[in-house]
Amino acid sequence: GNSVTQMEGPVTLSEEAFLTINCTYTATGYPSLFWYVQYPGEGLQLLLKATKADDKGSNKGFEATYRKETTSFHLEKGSVQVSDSAVYFCALRRSNAGNMLTFGGGTRLMVKP
Amino acid sequence: DTGVSQNPRHKITKRGQNVTFRCDPISEHNRLYWYRQTLGQGPEFLTYFQNEAQLEKSRLLSDRFSAERPKGSFSTLEIQRTEQGDSAMYLCASSLERGSTFGSGTRLTVV
């Protein structure tokens, strides 16, 4: 079956530090990969996505590259801000009909000034 | 507001009571999804509609759960005889072809 594994949090960083949140997946076929962010008290927001191998998704300074050989989609940001504090979810979308998402467990990021 | 709207935002109910949640998707979106998110976990898929047809249901959706989308627009999720284990955030999402947009969710607490 399909599954997504993320590094456990919380991840605590100082402002302007480099961020990596690891994500690996297991899937049949060729899924699309996503990162969603959930700020306190809010719903999930799409952060970035990649639909095929070697694609790089990017948004708001965050990047992730679809690595088929390592089945990974690690999230990175060169310099985090306090406002990036949130829970980040890696997800895959099955390639068959329906477009349902399978999520990882989430990683809480805390950025200190 | 053209986003996905969910009501109520919060619901506290006694064990054994029935509850119903509503989701209003983005108007032109033909696909609608329900997910459940427990504390500290990622969302888990419950069920999916394309227009008014319910096309897939997760094993998580026990007999006490029922979802409808009668006219292919808004959807309701009903839980009968609630249990404490039903306490969670219930998320609705809609999409047209690709890329789901999520609502803010309904947080259910069963006491």
Side-chain angles (χ1 to χ4, degrees):
Chain A
N2 301 316
S3 67
V4 177
T5 302
Q6 291 180 234
M7 63 188 288
E8 289 195 15
V11 174
T12 304
L13 295 174
S14 297
E15 206 164 22
E16 299 184 1
F18 184 87
L19 169 71
T20 300
I21 300 178
N22 290 339
C23 170
T24 57
Y25 68 90
T26 302
T28 54
Y30 301 95
S32 296
L33 301 174
F34 302 82
W35 278 100
Y36 279 83
V37 58
Q38 189 172 36
Y39 297 102
E42 298 185 16
L44 290 164
Q45 299 176 25
L46 178 64
L47 181 60
L48 54 83
K49 65 180 180 182
T51 58
K52 61 183 187 298
D54 299 325
D55 268 3
K56 178 185 284 188
S58 61
N59 186 26
K60 298 181 182 180
F62 291 89
E63 293 183 339
T65 301
Y66 189 150
R67 300 286 189 199
K68 193 169 188 303
E69 64 276 12
T70 54
T71 62
S72 65
F73 193 54
H74 304 321
L75 183 67
E76 297 182 337
K77 186 174 186 183
S79 176
V80 293
Q81 305 300 312
V82 172
S83 57
D84 293 327
S85 298
V87 182
Y88 292 82
F89 293 94
C90 184
L92 67 83
R93 184 177 66 209
R94 299 186 286 184
S95 56
N96 59 353
N99 290 332
M100 286 77 83
L101 293 163
T102 300
F103 287 88
T107 303
R108 179 174 299 278
L109 170 65
M110 299 171 59
V111 181
K112 297 184 175 180
Chain B
D1 187 5
T2 59
V4 177
S5 176
Q6 291 189 247
N7 289 288
R9 289 295 304 272
H10 304 276
K11 178 71 177 178
I12 300 174
T13 190
K14 291 184 178 179
R15 190 173 54 184
Q17 298 294 304
N18 299 343
V19 294
T20 300
F21 311 139
R22 177 178 170 125
C23 172
D24 287 89
I26 293 173
S27 58
E28 62 267 27
H29 286 184
N30 60 347
R31 294 175 176 174
L32 186 146
Y33 309 83
W34 285 98
Y35 292 83
R36 182 174 70 185
Q37 184 179 17
T38 53
L39 199 61
Q41 301 297 317
E44 297 172 292
F45 168 75
L46 292 179
T47 190
Y48 151 62
F49 291 85
Q50 182 156 324
N51 300 312
E52 66 275 10
Q54 188 173 19
L55 297 185
E56 189 163 341
K57 292 193 291 186
S58 161
R59 291 173 298 172
L60 294 175
L61 214 65
S62 75
D63 291 344
R64 297 184 296 105
F65 288 69
S66 62
E68 294 182 344
R69 194 183 184 196
K71 297 182 180 179
S73 56
F74 74 91
S75 175
T76 58
L77 177 67
E78 181 183 16
I79 309 174
Q80 296 182 326
R81 305 181 302 283
T82 52
E83 302 172 357
Q84 285 189 321
D86 297 331
S87 296
M89 176 77 82
Y90 290 84
L91 296 169
C92 177
S94 68
S95 73
L96 188 56
E97 287 294 332
R98 302 178 182 274
S100 297
T101 301
F102 281 82
S104 297
T106 294
R107 181 169 296 284
L108 173 66
T109 302
V110 181
V111 297

